[in-house]
Amino acid sequence: MRNIKLIIEYDGTNYHGWQIQKNAVTIQEHVEKALRQLLGVQTGVTGCSRTDVGVHAYGQVAHFFTDSTIPGEKFSYALNNLLPRDIVVQKSEEVPEDFHSRYSSKGKKYRYLICNSAHQSALMRNRACHVRPELDFEQMRKAAAHFVGEHDFAAFQATGGQVRSTVREIYSMNVSRKEDKLIELEVSGNGFLYNMIRIIAGTLIYVGMGKLRESDIPGIIGGLDRTNAGKTAPAQGLYLMEIYY
Amino acid sequence: MRNIKLIIEYDGTNYHGWQIQKNAVTIQEHVEKALRQLLGVQTGVTGCSRTDVGVHAYGQVAHFFTDSTIPGEKFSYALNNLLPRDIVVQKSEEVPEDFHSRYSSKGKKYRYLICNSAHQSALMRNRACHVRPELDFEQMRKAAAHFVGEHDFAAFQATGGQVRSTVREIYSMNVSRKEDKLIELEVSGNGFLYNMIRIIAGTLIYVGMGKLRESDIPGIIGGLDRTNAGKTAPAQGLYLMEIYY
């Protein structure tokens, strides 16, 4: 069997996340449906990241096995003809049989967008978290620096996460100003706990609002207690940018 | 009567443009409906630019007269509670009685976005024009420079435009690369003919594809013949950014 890797972009607004579930439309379901139409047989697709309801992706990665003779790079074109316009396979290629979208991954990059203005943006209404009070951008930048490195991020995990270890390494974390009153958080690391980026974003928003100080961050990380961190920021601001292999 | 100026952002995807018309939902209609709900009387709103179906705006300007005592800057909050989420009043203020959103305007700035990649972007599907062949960015930049200044732009006017003079001044025109394979065209000028930006964008795309040379542009402008210019690029890539007063 040939192993095909897909890089998938999607607008998560209209979906109940990546993973197939009953009574809700998901991205995985659409990709498998398109593959069944294309190949004539039910073909399971394994995605790297189980993005939540409303979360977007520029670089979700999935793989599937097939005995089809379609050249690897042609699957993107064939599938995009069958997929809704808010799910696009940006790249497809044949990979070695032992490649696994989840187990082979070495890290990920996420983006979180905040629209900091008196009114939410009409164009970014499903693409950014709206925060009305003016955020102290410099304090947010300083706070972000404390997250970089290897830490036990137990304080930044939603209940329901089931992992052996809560130690993760954050390679980089940058907060920058974009046009149209947007603040962008970009984080890359070797792995992330359940809702970790959204809790980090919510904590940085608290710092920006003055509800927490940037100097509180090391203690919040060290305390290993979820209740010390900020609120979980909404899903609509989150983007899975890239998965490293 | 007090004169209130509104700066309005909208996602044009779901609307038949700004101006009220029969049998189609428009942005002006929603704003007037929200005003009627708020003020209890039918209140006509005059917009500066009659944006077409699918065109977006960060900075449409409109004005209306009222004898309401609501402070000018509070209208934005009150109207946003009544408007759909894809239409947002970003600012409201009381202005002198002789201010007119259209007749007082001194110029406008537009943006046109092109997604230059093998596949359209899922996230930008209604926000950028998709062009598959790789565009020659440097040629497009050179071509753009020829448009700056005062010219007769008769070659860049769609049929149906009814203006006395087709002479306009373009103050600046910049082509730049953005992330995610986007090419951005930003144009400001004292006024624009019907579909002028979209025809300029289509002409620059032809230059980028090698169907026209950058050195052809002065002759196309000088020829005053619409058929020499490129195709009208699709509405979804166009944004009304700002109106100058």
Side-chain angles (χ1 to χ4, degrees):
Chain A
M1 298 280 269
R2 298 161 65 219
N3 189 5
I4 307 293
K5 175 189 175 191
L6 306 176
I7 298 180
I8 308 172
E9 178 189 345
Y10 46 81
D11 176 346
T13 307
N14 298 317
Y15 299 103
H16 280 255
W18 164 263
Q19 198 172 28
I20 285 183
Q21 50 188 276
K22 285 186 184 167
N23 306 321
V25 180
T26 68
I27 296 125
Q28 185 189 4
E29 178 184 331
H30 270 293
V31 175
E32 293 195 357
K33 190 175 148 193
L35 271 175
R36 190 171 60 235
Q37 279 184 264
L38 180 66
L39 303 174
V41 289
Q42 175 66 34
T43 304
V45 165
T46 304
C48 174
S49 182
R50 297 189 191 115
T51 58
D52 278 339
V53 183
V55 171
H56 314 293
Y58 279 101
Q60 169 74 289
V61 173
H63 74 287
F64 64 92
F65 291 95
T66 182
D67 49 19
S68 151
T69 57
I70 298 172
E73 69 278 12
K74 296 292 183 199
F75 275 98
S76 57
Y77 297 91
L79 289 171
N80 288 340
N81 281 333
L82 300 166
L83 285 166
R85 291 174 63 235
D86 52 4
I87 302 174
V88 174
V89 178
Q90 286 294 351
K91 195 179 175 191
S92 60
E93 61 177 327
E94 189 169 348
V95 288
E97 210 173 333
D98 65 352
F99 171 87
H100 189 285
S101 58
R102 190 154 58 242
Y103 304 138
S104 306
S105 98
K106 302 254 188 297
K108 291 187 192 122
K109 183 164 103 176
Y110 282 95
R111 178 183 292 169
Y112 196 90
L113 287 182
I114 299 160
C115 176
N116 187 208
S117 60
H119 305 283
Q120 170 66 303
S121 162
L123 283 152
M124 298 300 284
R125 67 194 183 285
N126 298 318
R127 317 273 178 103
C129 158
H130 178 229
V131 177
R132 184 167 288 169
E134 193 177 341
L135 296 172
D136 187 327
F137 178 71
E138 279 312 316
Q139 292 302 306
M140 292 172 72
R141 282 186 82 135
K142 285 182 188 167
H146 294 300
F147 288 92
V148 176
E150 190 175 82
H151 301 283
D152 185 334
F153 285 106
F156 294 86
Q157 178 183 223
T159 52
Q162 290 190 336
V163 286
R164 279 163 302 184
S165 164
T166 48
V167 174
R168 295 290 184 276
E169 185 180 352
I170 289 188
Y171 302 142
S172 70
M173 189 153 158
N174 296 304
V175 185
S176 56
R177 276 191 193 281
K178 300 284 156 182
E179 60 185 332
D180 304 325
K181 304 158 194 163
L182 290 179
I183 294 175
E184 178 188 279
L185 167 68
E186 283 209 329
V187 188
S188 69
N190 65 355
F192 296 93
L193 305 170
Y194 185 53
N195 275 357
M196 180 167 153
I197 305 281
R198 290 169 56 191
I199 301 170
I200 289 175
T203 303
L204 288 185
I205 290 168
Y206 269 16
V207 170
M209 293 168 79
K211 291 188 181 187
L212 289 172
R213 287 166 301 181
E214 61 92 7
S215 57
D216 292 335
I217 301 297
I220 295 172
I221 297 173
L224 307 179
D225 180 354
R226 170 70 189 91
T227 61
N228 294 333
K231 278 199 285 189
T232 305
Q236 68 198 38
L238 185 61
Y239 298 73
L240 171 58
M241 299 304 293
E242 194 180 345
I243 299 167
Y244 308 123
Y245 292 96
Chain B
M1 296 279 271
R2 297 163 64 219
N3 189 5
I4 308 293
K5 175 189 175 191
L6 304 177
I7 298 181
I8 308 171
E9 177 188 346
Y10 46 82
D11 177 346
T13 307
N14 297 317
Y15 299 103
H16 279 257
W18 165 262
Q19 198 171 29
I20 284 183
Q21 51 188 275
K22 284 184 185 170
N23 306 320
V25 181
T26 67
I27 296 124
Q28 185 189 3
E29 179 184 332
H30 271 293
V31 175
E32 293 195 358
K33 190 174 147 194
L35 271 175
R36 193 171 57 236
Q37 279 185 263
L38 180 66
L39 303 174
V41 289
Q42 175 66 35
T43 304
V45 165
T46 304
C48 175
S49 182
R50 297 192 190 112
T51 58
D52 277 338
V53 183
V55 172
H56 314 293
Y58 279 101
Q60 170 74 292
V61 174
H63 74 287
F64 64 92
F65 290 95
T66 181
D67 49 19
S68 150
T69 57
I70 297 173
E73 69 277 14
K74 297 292 182 196
F75 276 98
S76 58
Y77 297 90
L79 290 171
N80 289 339
N81 282 332
L82 299 165
L83 285 165
R85 290 175 63 235
D86 51 4
I87 303 174
V88 175
V89 178
Q90 286 294 351
K91 194 179 175 192
S92 60
E93 60 178 328
E94 188 168 348
V95 287
E97 210 174 333
D98 65 351
F99 172 87
H100 189 286
S101 59
R102 189 153 61 243
Y103 303 136
S104 307
S105 98
K106 301 253 189 300
K108 290 187 193 122
K109 184 164 101 176
Y110 282 95
R111 177 183 292 169
Y112 196 89
L113 287 182
I114 299 160
C115 176
N116 187 210
S117 60
H119 305 283
Q120 170 65 304
S121 162
L123 282 152
M124 298 300 284
R125 68 195 184 284
N126 297 318
R127 317 273 179 103
C129 159
H130 179 229
V131 177
R132 185 167 286 169
E134 193 177 341
L135 297 172
D136 187 327
F137 178 72
E138 280 311 316
Q139 292 301 306
M140 292 172 72
R141 282 185 80 135
K142 285 181 189 167
H146 294 298
F147 288 92
V148 177
E150 190 175 81
H151 302 282
D152 185 334
F153 285 105
F156 294 86
Q157 180 183 223
T159 51
Q162 290 190 336
V163 285
R164 280 162 303 182
S165 164
T166 48
V167 174
R168 294 290 183 277
E169 184 180 355
I170 290 188
Y171 303 141
S172 71
M173 189 154 156
N174 295 304
V175 185
S176 56
R177 276 190 193 282
K178 300 285 158 181
E179 61 185 330
D180 305 323
K181 305 157 193 165
L182 290 179
I183 294 175
E184 177 188 281
L185 167 68
E186 283 209 329
V187 188
S188 68
N190 64 355
F192 296 92
L193 306 169
Y194 186 52
N195 276 356
M196 180 168 154
I197 305 281
R198 290 169 55 190
I199 300 170
I200 289 175
T203 304
L204 289 185
I205 290 168
Y206 269 15
V207 170
M209 293 168 79
K211 291 189 181 185
L212 289 171
R213 288 166 300 181
E214 61 94 4
S215 56
D216 292 336
I217 301 296
I220 295 171
I221 296 173
L224 307 179
D225 180 353
R226 169 70 188 88
T227 61
N228 294 333
K231 278 199 287 191
T232 304
Q236 68 198 37
L238 186 61
Y239 298 72
L240 171 58
M241 299 304 292
E242 193 179 344
I243 300 169
Y244 308 123
Y245 292 95

